């Protein structure tokens, strides 16, 4: 009897804990450190990310001023749009500008 009781209790605890674990994992996916997918930011589908699209994507992660500064750092050619390459380089390299001595090692 004791073995059956332990099994039932273990099963109940596991069944109750699983939804909490799943919910916690989903919450972590939405965290600040999550890389943003280029296509999900490019809302108009024109193949580039405008400053307004970028700021909107960072809503809740960063203040608008910080998002605009980050955008300017990522926009290497200064055309007001992020290409896939600029976005990817920023995701990998922290958005360092060429020639920016403060950010170079």
């Amino acid at each position: 009897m004791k073995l059956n009781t332990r099994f039932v209790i273990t099963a109940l605890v596991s069944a109750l804990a699983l939804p909490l674990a799943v919910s916690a994992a989903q919450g972590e996916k939405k965290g600040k450190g999550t890389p943003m997918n280029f296509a999900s930011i490019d809302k108009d589908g024109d193949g580039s990310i405008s400053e307004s699209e970028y700021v909107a994507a960072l809503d809740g992660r960063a203040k608008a001023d910080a998002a605009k500064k980050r955008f300017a750092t990522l926009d290497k050619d200064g055309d007001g749009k992020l290409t896939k390459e600029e976005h990817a380089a920023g995701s990998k390299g922290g958005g360092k500008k060429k020639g920016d001595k403060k950010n170079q090692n």
Side-chain angles (χ1 to χ4, degrees):
M1 243 354 206
K2 289 183 181 181
L3 185 60
N4 286 339
T5 304
R6 286 184 189 169
F7 177 75
V8 170
I9 291 172
T10 303
L12 283 171
V13 169
S14 297
L16 293 173
L18 184 61
L20 294 174
V22 169
S23 177
Q26 288 174 341
E28 289 175 10
K29 288 181 184 176
K30 296 177 184 176
K32 290 183 179 183
T34 306
M36 296 181 297
N37 180 293
F38 184 89
S40 68
I41 302 170
D42 181 20
K43 295 295 184 188
D44 62 8
D46 67 351
S48 63
I49 299 172
S50 67
E51 182 183 62
S52 61
E53 288 172 325
Y54 190 78
V55 171
L58 286 178
D59 187 35
R61 293 177 169 214
K63 293 182 179 181
D65 289 342
K68 288 178 182 181
K69 286 180 183 177
R70 175 77 174 148
F71 180 89
T73 300
L74 295 174
D75 184 17
K76 300 293 185 201
D77 60 7
D79 66 352
K81 299 181 278 186
L82 296 182
T83 62
K84 285 184 180 182
E85 293 77 19
E86 288 171 326
H87 180 261
S91 296
K92 292 176 186 171
K96 295 177 186 173
K97 280 189 175 183
K98 291 179 183 174
D100 188 352
K101 292 181 183 178
K102 284 194 257 181
N103 289 329
Q104 288 182 345
N105 291 331

